[in-house]
Amino acid sequence: MSRAQRLLDLIQILRSHRFPVTGQLLAEELGISLRSLYRDIATLQQQGASIVGEPGLGYVLKPGFMLPPLMFSEEEIEALVLGSRWVAERGDTHLAQAALNALQKIAAVLPEDLRQSLDTNTLLVGPDAKAPDIDTALPLLRSAIRNERKILLDYRDGQGKVSQRMIWPFALGFFEHIRILIAWCEMRQEIRHFRTDRIVSFEVYETRYPRRRQALLKEWRAQEGIAST
């Protein structure tokens, strides 16, 4: 376990106790010596943690201390790296670059030992032979979603029939082989799903649709039986 991870775990243990915890108990939970524990307590106190107590009597963390925003555990770093690599491999060009930029920004402010965990992460995303070509329209669709703009869509269904729809896009689903645009369809008067590889053409209107995308997303989740995260 890295020292940064150990300090994070120590804070979490102290947070879980309302009353003073002996150094011996803390050391046993962390699997370290009392001497190492005393050094870790001193380090956290220097970083602003209000830890009250003395060796032999016990320690308690006063409420109000917040960890630095980028104190990630090793598993959290693995999740970030894996997610970013998936986006870089499966997303459009803009999203792929944004994922790589985000990792670089995180790496720049991590402690040295955690930065090494990020650089040497061994969770990989393999190539997908069935993946569709990167859809150059995805950045425009994502922009329309962010700005809650109506889209006039020419769409080809599974039987090859093309129809024109005015839609209110509010979400974009990334699956292994397809991308799904989720939107309220004015023609059908209901929420519909559109595969991006079946979009013939579209035009983003300056008109803002009348409902908030958060409300539409909530309605869709309820409709699909998906719990909020």
Side-chain angles (χ1 to χ4, degrees), residues 5-41:
Q5 176 66 52
R6 195 171 75 226
L7 292 175
L8 182 64
D9 289 348
L10 176 54
I11 285 291
Q12 299 301 339
I13 293 171
L14 287 170
R15 275 204 178 122
S16 68
H17 290 82
R18 296 177 56 191
F19 302 101
V21 189
T22 66
Q24 185 63 45
L25 179 59
L26 290 171
E28 288 176 1
E29 286 200 44
L30 293 168
I32 59 176
S33 67
L34 271 175
R35 183 177 180 182
S36 294
L37 175 75
Y38 296 151
R39 285 201 302 266
D40 289 350
I41 292 286

Side-chain angles (χ1 to χ4, degrees), residues 59-213:
Y59 298 93
V60 64
L61 175 67
K62 287 187 176 180
F65 176 67
M66 298 296 292
L67 287 169
L70 288 175
M71 281 291 290
F72 296 113
S73 69
E74 291 178 345
E75 286 197 338
E76 288 169 341
I77 288 177
E78 286 186 339
L80 285 170
V81 172
L82 182 60
S84 297
R85 286 175 177 171
W86 192 94
V87 173
E89 182 70 26
R90 303 286 194 268
D92 59 72
T93 304
H94 292 77
L95 269 185
Q97 188 59 53
L100 296 176
N101 291 345
L103 270 185
Q104 291 173 359
K105 289 179 180 179
I106 291 171
V109 294
L110 282 175
E112 178 61 29
D113 53 351
L114 290 183
R115 189 181 307 126
Q116 290 179 3
S117 295
L118 187 149
D119 291 338
T120 60
N121 185 275
T122 55
L123 299 183
L124 307 175
V125 176
D128 181 8
K130 296 182 180 179
D133 292 336
I134 295 300
D135 192 338
T136 56
L138 291 185
L140 294 175
L141 295 176
R142 290 191 285 106
S143 176
I145 291 170
R146 283 195 303 270
N147 296 308
E148 299 179 340
R149 296 295 189 258
K150 289 187 176 185
I151 288 180
L152 184 63
L153 188 74
D154 288 322
Y155 186 74
R156 180 183 294 107
D157 65 19
Q159 287 70 48
K161 182 180 178 180
V162 177
S163 61
Q164 191 171 78
R165 320 280 188 93
M166 182 66 78
I167 63 171
W168 310 347
F170 61 86
L172 188 62
F174 286 75
F175 295 86
E176 196 66 17
H177 305 307
I178 61 173
R179 314 288 179 254
I180 300 293
L181 181 65
I182 309 171
W184 174 269
C185 177
E186 290 187 357
M187 183 176 76
R188 299 292 187 183
Q189 286 295 293
E190 63 183 2
I191 295 173
R192 305 286 286 189
H193 301 85
F194 302 94
R195 285 178 49 159
T196 60
D197 59 335
R198 292 180 180 170
I199 295 176
V200 178
S201 62
F202 69 93
E203 180 182 356
V204 179
Y205 279 37
E206 286 300 315
T207 307
R208 187 169 185 169
Y209 50 75
R211 295 181 63 188
R212 299 309 304 271
R213 68 173 184 273

Side-chain angles (χ1 to χ4, degrees), residues 34-54:
L34 271 175
R35 183 177 180 182
S36 294
L37 175 75
Y38 296 151
R39 285 201 302 266
D40 289 350
I41 292 286
T43 297
L44 288 172
Q45 288 172 332
Q46 291 170 3
Q47 292 179 358
S50 185
I51 300 174
V52 180
E54 296 179 5

